[in-house]
Amino acid sequence: MLPEHLVKQLGDRRRLCVAFSGGLDSTVLLHALVQLRASILPDLQLRAIHVNHGLSAFANRWTASCQAHCQRWQVEFLPLFVTVDASQGGIEAAARNARYQALTQNLHSGETLLTAQHLNDQCETFILALKRGSGPAGLSSMGERAKVGGFPLLRPLLSLPREALEAYAGQHQLSWIDDDSNQDTRFDRNFLRLEVLPLLYQRWPHFAAATARSAGLCAEQESLLDELLQEDLDSLTDAQGSLSVSGLEPLSESRRFALLRRWLAGCGAKMPSREQLQRMWDEVAVSRADAEPQMRLGAFSLRRFRQRLYWLPPMQALKQTVIPWTGEGILNLPDNLGHLTFASQTDEGLSIRKPRDDETMSIRFYARGEVHKVGRDRSRQMKKLWQELDVPPWERDRIPLVFYNELPIAAAGLFITHDALTTGPQEAVWSLLWQK
């Protein structure tokens, strides 16, 4: 029955990569796909990736066991070794994040990632979300289909109870890994699985299926809200992805927070708690007008500028950075800021004079004092210029500035100074281009 179930789940997907831990669930999934390839879907392209977290003394033995299974079943096998930083939200969350990061970084174009969560896993996820006080979005738990790292993710066993997988493993005499850490009840999921859920299943045998139905209903409600609120969200979001504070202010609190959650989800943010949402609104969105408020959530931060909210990734400090450059070739900028090039004078870019014999050029990200921008009758402090140009505070030390000796000549993509102008027809001119 399992291969037939998988045929329905796969649809027209034929390039598959299984997250293969070697435990019961992923062993059953991989074996069933191998059976499917041999009997019904001979065009199935199958790979397995095993992530070694290095958290157990037996981790390398498990990797070898997974490799042996794949060799026996003629499945391409890729072992990956990761480092888990337990300070990032606890060891369970850190291991999961490291695992998914490693998986998505090693998927091939056109592949679908398959994971082996089943009905009982869904029940555990639902109860853990309930314990955290999650709303409908969190209680939706896991979907059979999702996206991870831009790749499609499929959980084809999610509607099947663990007993069905055990029966399949027994029928095919499969062997699998028993992770010793699964017996450690210090971890919340293990505590539920070993201490709590057996009692609930004993009293209510269909408890896992019931919680899965509740998760599905929550997911339906969230999907409906997404549909109803999408037009509002589109009208409040600009091309840069920032969110209008003034557009949110007249709304009811529940509608405002529902839109904030969806905006954050679209930014890839971890869903905040109700208390964190309230702080986002009070301390960032509607703090005093002359403030430059921000709130950190993990490595990311929420900031406000010109009555708009921005969700920002970690940024490298560049204020002290000085990059010598001759102007030849392509200059790659730090922290994924793109690259600079100089070209013969064109209609594109900023036209500036070439350095004189006694001048050396450098690229910096900070200028002190006053700057005389072309088009203005006098010099102004850089801070005032940035404000005039509507440049947010966090971007002001990330715009490449061209210096000749100690003179600021140009701000890439924005303006040139009077020191960039030629003093006669004999001076050569070139164009500065910034590809972000």
Side-chain angles (χ1 to χ4, degrees), residues 199-230:
L199 294 175
L200 296 177
Y201 293 152
Q202 182 178 353
R203 185 171 182 92
W204 300 299
H206 302 295
F207 184 78
T211 56
R213 283 197 300 275
S214 293
L217 290 170
C218 288
E220 284 183 18
Q221 293 298 312
E222 281 299 290
S223 179
L224 178 60
L225 273 177
D226 287 342
E227 185 178 328
L228 294 174
L229 293 174
Q230 189 60 51

Side-chain angles (χ1 to χ4, degrees), residues 356 358-362 364 403-409:
R356 296 166 185 147
D358 61 345
E359 292 175 326
T360 58
M361 183 170 63
S362 62
R364 310 182 189 188
F403 274 71
Y404 291 171
N405 293 339
E406 295 303 312
L407 291 175
I409 299 297

Side-chain angles (χ1 to χ4, degrees), residues 30-208:
L30 185 58
H31 183 271
L33 289 168
V34 170
Q35 297 289 99
L36 199 61
R37 182 182 63 184
S39 58
I40 304 174
L41 298 176
D43 59 337
L44 208 59
Q45 299 178 46
L46 197 55
R47 288 199 310 140
I49 296 181
H50 171 81
V51 180
N52 184 327
H53 301 89
L55 296 174
S56 169
F58 306 108
N60 291 338
R61 188 184 303 174
W62 298 338
T63 300
S65 173
C66 290
Q67 185 169 17
H69 275 307
C70 288
Q71 287 175 341
R72 188 179 315 117
W73 297 337
Q74 297 181 321
V75 173
E76 182 183 339
F77 177 74
L78 176 63
L80 299 174
F81 299 84
V82 300
T83 300
V84 177
D85 182 1
S87 66
Q88 301 298 313
I91 196 165
E92 286 180 286
R96 181 174 60 253
N97 292 339
R99 179 167 62 253
Y100 275 101
Q101 184 177 13
L103 288 167
T104 55
Q105 287 176 348
N106 288 275
L107 289 174
H108 294 164
S109 176
E111 275 188 327
T112 298
L113 177 64
L114 271 62
T115 57
Q117 292 96 342
H118 50 72
L119 186 68
N120 300 79
D121 293 324
Q122 181 78 309
C123 178
E124 294 163 11
T125 302
F126 182 90
I127 294 177
L128 288 171
L130 196 65
K131 185 264 296 184
R132 291 192 298 268
S134 299
L139 293 174
S140 298
S141 304
M142 297 179 285
E144 288 185 340
R145 291 165 180 78
K147 285 276 190 180
V148 57
F151 289 89
L153 168 67
L154 183 64
R155 300 182 177 99
L157 306 181
L158 201 58
S159 63
L160 302 178
R162 179 180 171 87
E163 291 79 8
L165 307 190
E166 291 172 338
Y168 181 93
Q171 177 187 350
H172 294 276
Q173 298 182 326
L174 300 180
S175 60
W176 61 88
I177 293 163
D178 282 318
D179 187 341
D180 53 314
S181 69
N182 288 338
Q183 303 303 311
D184 190 344
T185 55
R186 290 176 300 173
F187 300 128
D188 290 344
R189 191 173 287 272
N190 290 345
F191 172 71
L192 271 181
R193 185 177 298 160
L194 299 173
E195 303 288 343
V196 177
L197 286 172
L199 294 175
L200 296 177
Y201 293 152
Q202 182 178 353
R203 185 171 182 92
W204 300 299
H206 302 295
F207 184 78

Side-chain angles (χ1 to χ4, degrees), residues 293-326:
Q294 63 176 304
M295 177 177 168
R296 293 188 65 85
L297 281 92
F300 289 75
S301 61
L302 179 74
R303 299 191 68 166
R304 186 195 73 204
F305 179 68
R306 297 284 196 266
Q307 284 297 95
R308 301 197 70 86
L309 295 176
Y310 295 80
W311 182 251
L312 302 172
M315 296 180 185
Q316 180 181 335
L318 300 174
K319 195 172 183 178
Q320 305 301 322
T321 301
V322 178
I323 307 172
W325 192 31
T326 64

Side-chain angles (χ1 to χ4, degrees), residues 11-42:
D12 60 358
R13 297 175 181 86
R14 292 296 180 268
R15 300 188 63 192
L16 311 177
C17 183
V18 175
F20 185 36
S21 69
L24 168 69
D25 312 336
S26 62
T27 299
V28 165
L29 175 59
L30 185 58
H31 183 271
L33 289 168
V34 170
Q35 297 289 99
L36 199 61
R37 182 182 63 184
S39 58
I40 304 174
L41 298 176

